[in-house]
Amino acid sequence: MTATKKIKSALISVFHKDGLDEIVKQLDRLGVQIFSTGGTQSFIEGLGVEVTAVEALTGYPSILGGRVKTLHPKIFGGILGRRDDEDHKKQMSEYEIPEIDLIIVDLYPFEDTVASGASHADIIEKIDIGGISLIRAAAKNYKDVVIVPSKNQYSKLHNILENQEGETSLEDRKFFATAAFAVSSGYDAAIFNYFNSDEEFPAFRKAVDESKPLRYGENPHQKGTFFGKFDELFEQLHGKEISYNNLLDIDAAVSLISEFEETTFAVLKHNNACGLASRDNLLDAWKEALAGDPVSAFGGIIITNKKVTGEVAGEINKIFFEVIIAPGYDAEALEILKQKKNRIILVQKPAAVSGFNTRTLLNGVLVQEKDLKMESKSDLETVTSKTPSDEEVADLIFANKIVKHSKSNAIVIAKNKQLIGSGIGQTSRVDALKQAITKAMAYEFDTEGAVMASDAFFPFADSVEIAREAGIGSVIQPGGSVRDKDSVDFCDAHNMSMVFTGTRHFKH
């Protein structure tokens, strides 16, 4: 047996016919005997190409409403029979089983059917049985058989037929077999996840076929790849290739901006907001967001929830940043923003995303529901004698949105719906608060009358003591410490207000 094999016979059974005509014409040119059934057979006959019905080979018609067409020993024997095994060859001869060298399959569109909102009965009918069996059988016997498991491999097969005259190497066949098991495993994962939508069965299955190699990972010495359909969420209008770190920042940015309905601009660096403001107009929102920390803004990414105008773009263009994300841009804005050739300009599309976070660690995977809870005014419990004013409540909710999306331990100081200081990723809450105050003072913000948000409870009263020294007048926190009373008592003694949300927002 030689590693190179010539395709002499083919079985074709596909759902999508796009691009199949050129494949069939090449097979016909090479004199390949073609077997097929159902709609695929009719399609091939419509091309004027001779085709043998599977029913003529098996002696059985398509039965049970098309559920059983190719499941027959004369089909699977022709695929699984080993060409170098004399016993196999003898049995194939005895039972008049022809060798089948090429299988072309395109499965029923199960995931598309689920996504369309079809009925359960229609979804079940789109679970492919014959096709998936053909794929696995041909892939198992890749030493002898070529398996084309989806239309995504048509171009490679066409190249082999046209430029190699139907001759395949072992390397070619192994490539197709690898693709086949990717298709079959992904298909089964999609079916499992549909059946397990209520998560009664404790197993994790995730399959993603779309991938994009990145320049490198988090650092230049690390390889990196993005698996997913980025283009479903964004349209890139300009700029260089998106990096691993860009993707982390983009994810953090879109999660953060989703909390805001008012006109808002945010500046992020290393997944955390370093500037954010909500205003009546976009230009003011940008100026106030940048003022929060103009130093950290250098080289960061910026995001807004409103269309960017030329006037706003002119101001944004004054600083260096890597990525801008918005729901749209006017022509003047694009002309200005495209002046930097590497600047990444993204349009965020309205699209649904997963409600779960997954993270690999140790020898497994962590899965959790995303933190989609955000407290409103009705969720706030005033625990001090003093009640926060309406303006303070608005700032407390504003600050709480930001601290939710900041790396723990985190403290956010805000005033007039502007982020004026934050302490993030600290090992103690006191250190996070001190960092936030230092930041605010460094950019000459007046913290008198500002509010403070904490992602978790205060274990001691020391944080509110430090906050009061800075002039902070109102505090929002989850509550839940055995020593909550110490913090509340201090606030009461110093004319501060405090509200509990009852919800912790750790982010690690």
Side-chain angles (χ1 to χ4, degrees), residues 2 12 48 180 237 263 333 399 440 463 490:
T2 114
I12 308 175
L237 303 180
T263 299
S463 290
F490 181 88

Side-chain angles (χ1 to χ4, degrees), residues 47-122:
L47 297 174
V49 174
E50 184 177 347
V51 55
T52 301
V54 164
E55 293 84 349
L57 174 60
T58 64
Y60 279 85
S62 173
I63 60 173
L64 305 181
R67 283 190 167 196
V68 180
K69 290 180 283 190
T70 57
L71 297 169
H72 192 279
K74 284 202 172 183
I75 299 297
F76 282 86
I79 298 169
L80 287 165
R82 293 171 56 181
R83 301 343 186 220
D84 61 348
D85 187 306
E86 290 302 320
D87 187 51
H88 281 204
K89 291 168 68 175
K90 181 180 178 181
Q91 290 182 56
M92 291 173 72
S93 175
E94 179 181 356
Y95 295 108
E96 298 180 338
I97 299 173
E99 293 180 353
I100 303 177
D101 305 318
L102 169 65
I103 303 294
I104 302 177
V105 176
D106 188 67
L107 299 172
Y108 292 160
F110 178 82
E111 289 181 274
D112 289 346
T113 305
V114 172
S116 73
S119 68
H120 178 70
D122 287 340

Side-chain angles (χ1 to χ4, degrees), residues 333-353:
L334 285 177
E335 184 179 354
I336 293 169
L337 294 172
K338 287 181 178 181
Q339 290 174 7
K340 304 293 184 182
K341 68 175 183 178
N342 288 329
R343 178 179 290 159
I344 297 168
I345 303 174
L346 298 177
V347 174
Q348 185 179 359
K349 302 176 183 179
V353 295

Side-chain angles (χ1 to χ4, degrees), residues 413 421-423 432-442 447 466-467 470 472:
I413 301 173
S422 63
L433 175 55
K434 289 179 177 178
Q435 183 188 63
I437 293 171
T438 299
K439 280 262 188 180
M441 292 183 172
T447 55
I466 296 169
I472 291 169

Side-chain angles (χ1 to χ4, degrees), residues 46-231:
L47 297 174
V49 174
E50 184 177 347
V51 55
T52 301
V54 164
E55 293 84 349
L57 174 60
T58 64
Y60 279 85
S62 173
I63 60 173
L64 305 181
R67 283 190 167 196
V68 180
K69 290 180 283 190
T70 57
L71 297 169
H72 192 279
K74 284 202 172 183
I75 299 297
F76 282 86
I79 298 169
L80 287 165
R82 293 171 56 181
R83 301 343 186 220
D84 61 348
D85 187 306
E86 290 302 320
D87 187 51
H88 281 204
K89 291 168 68 175
K90 181 180 178 181
Q91 290 182 56
M92 291 173 72
S93 175
E94 179 181 356
Y95 295 108
E96 298 180 338
I97 299 173
E99 293 180 353
I100 303 177
D101 305 318
L102 169 65
I103 303 294
I104 302 177
V105 176
D106 188 67
L107 299 172
Y108 292 160
F110 178 82
E111 289 181 274
D112 289 346
T113 305
V114 172
S116 73
S119 68
H120 178 70
D122 287 340
I123 290 170
I124 294 303
E125 286 307 308
K126 286 298 184 288
I127 298 177
D128 205 309
I129 301 300
I132 205 77
S133 301
L134 291 170
I135 287 173
R136 291 179 62 83
K140 177 176 181 176
N141 201 26
Y142 75 91
K143 288 187 176 181
D144 296 311
V145 179
V146 178
I147 171 61
V148 178
S150 78
K151 60 183 179 180
N152 295 331
Q153 287 77 44
Y154 282 2
S155 61
K156 183 172 177 63
L157 175 63
H158 187 274
N159 181 65
I160 287 172
L161 297 174
E162 185 174 45
N163 299 319
Q164 299 175 207
E165 294 296 297
E167 296 274 353
T168 64
S169 66
L170 186 60
E171 182 180 24
D172 291 331
R173 297 192 295 278
K174 187 175 181 182
F175 169 85
F176 282 116
T178 303
F181 286 119
V183 168
S184 65
S185 61
Y187 198 76
D188 284 341
I191 296 169
F192 166 77
N193 287 325
Y194 170 73
F195 273 84
N196 199 43
S197 59
D198 55 5
E199 300 176 46
E200 288 187 0
F201 195 86
F204 176 77
R205 297 287 185 275
K206 182 71 174 176
V208 183
D209 293 326
E210 294 77 15
S211 67
K212 179 179 177 58
L214 305 173
R215 296 196 306 273
Y216 50 79
E218 201 161 8
N219 300 291
H221 63 277
Q222 297 170 269
K223 291 183 179 179
T225 303
F226 174 72
F227 290 92
K229 299 178 181 179
F230 185 82
D231 292 344

